[in-house]
């Protein structure tokens, strides 16, 4: 019903915000991480929205980016994961980090979210790992990198993943290996490939 709502940010709470649009205050539920990226109260803001309708009423959920909203929609499509659980996950993990956690089958990281137990984490991984692209996750990571060193490091990791993919290795085992490489920022693509191969054999 609502693709997005833009207006004046009039209030910020732990799990919700109020946006004033033409004199109407819209209460929108958001992740805790999102509240740390908001401008000051009184500023103009735009949130992509999802309207959740139940027998008990209607609730608006908001996101700063389309990728965050799309991730939310994927999460609530998983059996037993509702909007509150999806927001809890997005409250502890940026979208690209969540994608890496799913692709590397990192249940431990997912269970750090409030209300997400081991079974729910496993279900999220099973249902979503084939719907997420490792290339997209790296592209989002690159887009958020603020300094040249991070950009170079992330490009090297991305190139290494693609090269190992071409050798026949699955994303899951590649990302698990890469997550274990120490001082990975100091390595170029070839160095990451060699280190990952040694961990996978």
């Amino acid at each position: 019903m609502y693709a997005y709502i833009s207006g004046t940010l009039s209030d910020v709470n732990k799990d919700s915000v109020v946006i004033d649009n033409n004199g109407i205050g819209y209460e929108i539920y958001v992740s805790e991480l999102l509240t740390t990226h908001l401008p000051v109260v009184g500023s103009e803001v735009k949130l992509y929205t999802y309207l959740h309708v139940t027998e008990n009423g209607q609730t608006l959920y908001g996101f700063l980016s389309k990728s965050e909203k799309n991730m939310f929609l994927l999460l609530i499509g998983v059996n037993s994961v509702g909007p509150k659980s999806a927001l809890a996950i997005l409250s502890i993990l940026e979208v690209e980090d969540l994608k890496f956690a799913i692709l590397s089958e990192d249940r431990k990281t997912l269970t750090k979210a409030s209300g997400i137990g081991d079974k729910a984490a496993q279900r999220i991984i099973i249902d979503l790992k084939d719907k997420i692209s490792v290339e997209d996750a790296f592209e989002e990571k690159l887009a958020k990198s603020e300094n040249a060193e991070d950009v170079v490091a992330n490009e090297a990791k991305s190139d290494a993943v693609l090269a190992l993919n071409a050798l026949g290795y699955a994303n899951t085992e590649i990302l698990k290996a890469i997550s274990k490489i120490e001082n990975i920022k100091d390595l170029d693509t070839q160095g990451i490939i060699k280190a990952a191969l040694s961990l996978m054999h």
Side-chain angles (χ1 to χ4, degrees):
M1 185 175 177
Y2 302 107
Y4 63 84
I5 293 175
S6 61
T8 304
L9 182 64
S10 63
D11 196 16
V12 178
N13 302 301
K14 183 181 178 182
D15 61 355
S16 69
V17 301
V18 176
I19 294 179
D20 183 320
N21 178 284
N22 292 322
I24 300 173
Y26 292 91
E27 183 176 25
I28 304 171
Y29 288 86
V30 298
S31 71
E32 288 182 41
L33 263 181
L34 183 147
T35 63
T36 66
H37 298 309
L38 288 171
V40 296
V41 170
S43 301
E44 291 298 302
V45 69
K46 174 182 177 180
L47 292 183
Y48 296 94
T49 52
Y50 168 76
L51 180 64
H52 185 65
V53 181
T54 65
E55 293 176 358
N56 299 320
Q58 302 178 357
T59 308
L60 270 175
Y61 293 91
F63 316 92
L64 279 175
S65 67
K66 287 183 179 179
S67 64
E68 186 185 5
K69 178 180 177 179
N70 290 338
M71 193 70 239
F72 174 86
L73 293 175
L74 283 175
L75 287 168
I76 63 173
V78 176
N79 188 30
S80 80
V81 178
K84 286 185 179 179
S85 295
L87 271 195
I89 295 169
L90 291 170
S91 288
I92 64 161
L93 290 168
E94 298 281 2
V95 173
E96 65 273 17
D97 294 323
L98 173 55
K99 287 182 177 181
F100 286 131
I102 292 169
L103 288 167
S104 61
E105 298 184 2
D106 185 355
R107 281 183 294 175
K108 187 176 179 182
T109 293
L110 294 175
T111 56
K112 290 178 182 176
S114 175
I116 300 297
D118 198 60
K119 285 185 178 179
Q122 185 64 30
R123 173 55 59 193
I124 289 167
I125 290 166
I126 290 170
D127 284 8
L128 301 186
K129 67 179 181 180
D130 292 331
K131 298 178 181 178
I132 294 171
S133 159
V134 68
E135 290 83 6
D136 287 346
F138 273 114
E139 279 180 19
E140 286 175 19
K141 198 80 171 172
L142 280 170
K144 287 191 176 180
S145 296
E146 294 181 358
N147 61 60
E149 283 186 12
D150 284 344
V151 171
V152 170
N154 284 321
E155 284 181 341
K157 275 194 259 185
S158 180
D159 290 343
V161 170
L162 292 174
L164 290 164
N165 256 160
L167 292 174
Y169 292 96
N171 285 332
T172 300
E173 57 182 334
I174 294 169
L175 291 172
K176 279 182 179 176
I178 284 178
S179 68
K180 295 176 184 176
I181 298 173
E182 295 181 7
N183 302 318
I184 195 166
K185 280 191 174 184
D186 299 330
L187 301 176
D188 60 11
T189 301
Q190 289 301 318
I192 294 172
I193 291 171
K194 287 179 182 177
L197 285 171
S198 68
L199 290 166
M200 290 190 288
H201 289 118

